[in-house]
Amino acid sequence: MSCRIAVFGTGYLGATHAACMAELGHEVLGVDVDTSKLAKLGSGEVPFYEPGLEEILKRNIENGRLRFTASYEEAADFADNHFIGVGTPQKRGEYAADLTCVDAVVDTLAPLLDRPSVIFGKSTVPVGTAERIGRRVRQLVPNGVEVDVAWNPEFLREGYAVRDTLHPDRLVLGVDRNRPGRAEEVAREVYARLLSEDIPFLVTDLATAELVKTAANAFLATKISFINAMAEVCEMAGADVSVLADAIGYDARIGRRFLNAGIGFGGGCLPKDIRAFMARAGEIGADEALTFLREVDNINMRRRTRMVELAREAVGGTLLGTSVAVLGAAFKPDSDDVRDSPALSIAGQIQLQGASVNVFDPKAMENSRAVFPTLNYATSAIEACANADLVLVLTEWNEFLVLDPQVLRKAVRRPSIIDGRNCLDSQVWRDAGWAFRALGRV
Ligand code: UDX
């Protein structure tokens, strides 16, 4: 059965959700206040890099199931189900999440609703937000109109957003246990195709659903920082963290995924989500439970400093006057996102220490330039490496993994490379005459 859906927010989360819901056969209206984004999306152009998204966006615009608007009136008139997918960034100068956008959607939408509807929150929010929004919605909706508020967290990864939305590991729906309403029934209609594929569907209370998301991200961040802490130990002990990760990863209880040591995690989610989680835990009297996340954050930030130190050592003690090639600026491959990117942060720090830094990234050049206009930007990996005293691989894009060390050697001034993602074969590079260093490996 086809549902009429409005999706508020057209960033990574909202645009992907809107396009994927249309792909599932629903009629979808994407809503945003940013008219330039809407114009792009409306003409079938994705304003960020996400493999596979443009195809389904175009297809569903063409078949008429997907449209975009800035009008909340149109959304309230058109849809019975409303998904909130706006951003919840870190507050300036604080750890807590900034809920301005979520609140603005609710405050604008609720008074316009004139028939039974369900609002599904998808944004990552501090536990307790859904209940608060439920109360707010009940205050704002016109008398006698039944509107249910449920929480349906999103677990999509950038670079795999379409696949993660259409084939998620699980669906989680938090409903208000005191007034369950129609949320579960509607969610079952919206996700009917996914449920028919036996994707696990967990119906919980609101608080648990909110916490599932933050707990999942806290666990992933902890896993990465664990292996990065092991990398620090390996460096001191003369051991190899990559082999260590392989060996412990064979234990099914541990698992090899998310055990890649390197310059650590970044992006628009993990760093701000663990901080918002700590802030919220403090507010509800559970701060002791999450003090370990402070250490997870510290280990992660230390990796960036360590990389700068290694770079300094590799060029003989001072970066002043050296030329450093930085391969990779996005926070991870297959993304053009540079939010809290370890790669870009390292490039910036190295430049501040007096090096001339030449950056190349296959997709994130424009976004990098906007954040760090003073770095030099090359048009290819080989150009970035021209006359370099040192090459740093900071994002494991496939095109960097297949670089030919012999060819690159001819471009640089000194064949010296540091692998910040443990993604290169050290032997191949050493055999080709390179001085090779990596984090957590000798
Ligand atoms: C993350 C969660 O995975 C996703 O479920 C949630 O919805 C949003 O946040 P994303 O930010 O897209 O997704 O990136 P992810 O693939 O999780 O990587 C996060 C960071 O960790 C990247 O900077 C990546 O380079 C780093 N990472 C990942 C490592 O350093 N080592 C690893 O082994 C894995």
Side-chain angles (χ1 to χ4, degrees):
M1 206 181 102
S2 159
C3 305
R4 287 181 151 211
I5 293 173
V7 180
F8 296 84
T10 57
Y12 281 98
L13 166 57
T16 308
H17 192 67
C20 287
M21 291 305 101
E23 185 71 6
L24 290 177
H26 302 305
E27 288 178 67
V28 183
L29 194 56
V31 190
D32 206 302
V33 289
D34 182 339
T35 46
S36 67
K37 253 193 215 164
L38 292 174
K40 278 194 176 162
L41 286 163
S43 64
E45 191 190 329
V46 179
F48 46 86
Y49 178 72
E50 183 59 49
L53 182 55
E54 195 142 301
E55 203 182 309
I56 63 163
L57 179 78
K58 283 205 167 95
R59 182 162 55 234
N60 287 286
I61 289 173
E62 274 160 26
N63 67 25
R65 284 203 297 259
L66 177 60
R67 290 179 299 122
F68 292 91
T69 184
S71 163
Y72 275 63
E73 286 77 13
E74 189 183 349
D77 190 45
F78 169 80
D80 310 298
N81 311 307
H82 302 274
F83 284 85
I84 304 178
V86 291
T88 52
Q90 189 175 338
K91 274 189 192 163
R92 220 170 253 278
E94 269 181 65
Y95 269 11
D98 181 348
L99 298 176
T100 313
C101 295
V102 173
D103 289 336
V105 171
V106 169
D107 286 359
T108 317
L109 176 68
L112 302 171
L113 297 174
D114 60 1
R115 57 184 187 276
S117 329
V118 183
I119 297 179
F120 294 96
K122 291 202 79 67
S123 307
T124 302
V125 292
V127 60
T129 304
E131 199 193 318
R132 175 175 67 74
I133 287 179
R135 282 197 302 273
R136 179 91 183 132
V137 166
R138 287 190 292 280
Q139 278 167 8
L140 292 174
V141 290
N143 266 343
V145 179
E146 275 295 315
V147 178
D148 302 309
V149 172
W151 221 259
N152 173 218
E154 180 55 60
F155 303 96
L156 67 79
R157 295 161 297 167
E158 290 179 20
Y160 300 91
V162 173
R163 198 176 81 189
D164 284 352
T165 307
L166 293 176
H167 307 281
D169 293 334
R170 75 299 210 185
L171 286 164
V172 175
L173 181 74
V175 298
D176 187 337
R177 293 294 192 205
N178 297 319
R179 26 178 107 60
R182 296 164 49 247
E184 181 178 345
E185 177 196 328
V186 171
R188 285 187 183 278
E189 277 174 30
V190 170
Y191 295 123
R193 207 175 89 191
L194 273 47
L195 296 176
S196 73
E197 289 166 11
D198 286 337
I199 286 167
F201 182 44
L202 290 94
V203 181
T204 73
D205 55 88
L206 291 172
T208 304
E210 292 168 315
L211 278 174
V212 170
K213 174 60 199 262
T214 21
N217 276 355
F219 188 86
L220 294 171
T222 305
K223 202 169 176 189
I224 299 168
S225 277
F226 173 83
I227 201 65
N228 282 331
M230 293 306 110
E232 290 186 13
V233 178
C234 284
E235 273 171 35
M236 300 316 286
D240 186 322
V241 73
S242 293
V243 180
L244 180 113
D246 290 343
I248 63 172
Y250 280 117
D251 184 330
R253 293 169 303 174
I254 297 172
R256 179 63 177 82
R257 293 174 71 190
F258 264 68
L259 276 187
N260 295 326
I263 56 172
F265 59 82
C269 292
L270 296 192
K272 66 114 176 149
D273 284 353
I274 61 168
R275 291 172 194 155
F277 199 15
M278 284 186 266
R280 186 64 183 145
E283 286 165 11
I284 62 176
D287 45 352
E288 254 185 281
L290 298 189
T291 47
F292 75 96
L293 285 180
R294 200 170 293 274
E295 206 43 49
V296 166
D297 206 355
N298 278 334
I299 294 167
N300 192 52
M301 297 315 269
R302 248 190 344 252
R303 294 285 76 195
R304 302 179 185 188
T305 323
R306 177 69 186 134
M307 188 68 196
V308 177
E309 263 170 33
L310 270 183
R312 201 183 318 115
E313 279 170 25
V315 293
T318 174
L319 285 158
L320 200 64
T322 61
S323 172
V324 177
V326 166
L327 302 185
F331 84 105
K332 68 172 189 181
D334 293 317
S335 169
D336 65 357
D337 197 345
V338 297
R339 285 177 293 171
D340 209 344
S341 167
L344 206 51
S345 142
I346 289 165
Q349 288 180 52
I350 287 179
Q351 192 206 31
L352 287 174
Q353 296 197 13
S356 158
V357 178
N358 297 304
V359 181
F360 175 70
D361 187 283
K363 294 287 173 197
M365 300 298 272
E366 208 180 306
N367 288 342
S368 304
R369 216 178 260 122
V371 181
F372 267 111
T374 52
L375 298 169
N376 306 319
Y377 293 95
T379 57
S380 67
I382 199 102
E383 188 190 309
C385 294
N387 295 320
D389 297 298
L390 176 64
V391 177
L392 306 179
V393 177
L394 300 185
T395 311
E396 66 278 35
W397 282 96
N398 194 52
E399 74 164 83
F400 302 151
L401 310 191
V402 299
L403 279 172
D404 184 338
Q406 302 285 3
V407 174
L408 210 60
R409 213 186 136 172
K410 296 196 185 90
V412 297
R413 186 151 52 210
R414 287 185 55 238
S416 175
I417 188 164
I418 309 179
D419 177 2
R421 290 292 185 181
N422 282 305
C423 59
L424 302 176
D425 185 336
S426 55
Q427 207 49 53
V428 172
W429 286 81
R430 285 188 178 128
D431 288 350
W434 286 74
F436 184 97
R437 293 289 305 267
L439 293 170
R441 282 195 280 164
V442 276

